[in-house]
Structure formats: C-alpha cells, structure tokens
Amino acid sequence: MEIISAEVIGKFESEGDANKLVYAPLEVPVKYRRTRLYLLEYEGNVESAEHFVKRSLVDDYADEVHFTGEPAIEGFSFYIDYGMKPGALDLEKEAILSSHRKAEGFEIVSLKLVQRIYIFSDPSITSDRFVRDVCNPAIHVWSVTDSNGRKVA
C-alpha cells in the first residue's frame, strides 16, 4: 500500500486576521492561512491516484495541489491539523469515496481529510487558544506542529 499526501491551497486566498478564528480578540497581530489536506492510502497506480485527486478534489481554476508531504506554505510559527474523529459522520469523506470507481487504476484503502491552519505570529503566541476555539473535542482530533516540524500537541 502507498500513501498520497495532497495539500490543496486556494490560489486567490492570502493570509487573514487570526481574530476570525478565536472568540476573544488577540492582544497582538496574528495572521493565518487555511488549507485542506487529503491523506489517501491506496493500492495500484500512483498516476491514477494523483489524477483522481486532481479531478475530484481540486478546482483547476481556484486551487493548486502539492503532493510533496511537506508543508505547502513557509514562514509559519506553527500549524494545526484537525479532522473528524474516527467513526464520526463525515459527509465530505463519504462523497469522495462514493465518487471513486474501482476501474480507475487504483483502489482506495483509506482516506483521511484534514483541515490545516497555518499561524504566522511572534513566538509569544501559543497554539492552546487556537486549539480550544477551533477544535471541538467531541468530534475532532488534532495535532500541532511547530516550524521545525516537531509535533508539540
């Protein structure tokens, strides 16, 4: 089995004010950028799997996709990856899986959908507040990765 990591970024989106992510205003200016990450475990042809991702999950006009497995954006302080807990109803995931046809040259073994939020700030800003205000512990799992690639939460 192989795994594709496809990070999708909006071409026309830019860094925004991170106050949109939290319930109370931040004391210092903080920016953020949101992407989508699809982790596709599959058997079969890698070109067919990448073609499926590009055809089904990426808007050629508005999005670009990175298959490197590395963060697609640079200069961040940390990023938060969050997605639905296993067993939770995930309609987007179900729609993606139902659109795949077995005759496409590969077979999907598993699919994980992740929302990624990059935070651009000074080192005094920690992830705690963002995790608390963005992630719902009843339905989400999450991780925080710092700019050195270390998982910190």
Side-chain angles (χ1 to χ4, degrees):
M1 281 184 274
E2 300 291 329
I3 296 177
I4 286 180
S5 172
E7 188 169 2
V8 180
I9 302 171
K11 288 179 185 176
F12 306 113
E13 297 172 15
S14 60
E15 294 175 7
D17 183 357
N19 280 306
K20 294 178 182 178
L21 301 175
V22 294
Y23 294 121
L26 298 161
E27 295 176 11
V28 296
V30 178
K31 299 288 187 183
Y32 82 100
R33 181 112 189 248
R34 187 182 303 262
T35 66
R36 300 182 321 270
L37 182 66
Y38 299 94
L39 301 169
L40 180 74
E41 188 174 2
Y42 70 95
E43 291 180 347
N45 184 296
V46 66
E47 290 83 13
S48 297
E50 287 180 356
H51 177 71
F52 173 79
V53 168
K54 289 176 183 175
R55 186 189 78 233
S56 303
L57 307 175
V58 179
D59 177 340
D60 286 338
Y61 175 76
D63 295 328
E64 58 185 44
V65 63
H66 297 263
F67 289 108
T68 63
E70 297 293 321
I73 297 176
E74 297 177 347
F76 58 89
S77 301
F78 60 89
Y79 62 80
I80 302 167
D81 284 344
Y82 70 98
M84 301 298 282
K85 281 186 172 181
L89 178 61
D90 189 338
L91 297 176
E92 180 182 7
K93 179 179 176 179
E94 294 303 318
I96 293 167
L97 291 173
S98 69
S99 72
H100 174 257
R101 292 179 287 289
K102 293 183 186 341
E104 292 188 72
F106 75 105
E107 180 71 30
I108 296 175
V109 175
S110 71
L111 175 64
K112 183 176 179 184
L113 284 63
V114 176
Q115 298 295 317
R116 179 170 282 176
I117 299 175
Y118 291 93
I119 301 294
F120 305 91
S121 67
D122 65 61
S124 69
I125 300 297
T126 66
S127 62
D128 298 343
R129 186 164 174 198
F130 292 99
V131 168
R132 183 185 67 232
D133 289 354
V134 172
C135 301
N136 181 340
I139 61 171
H140 292 136
V141 293
W142 64 86
S143 67
V144 179
T145 304
D146 69 12
S147 60
N148 295 318
R150 292 185 307 252
K151 295 247 189 248
V152 294

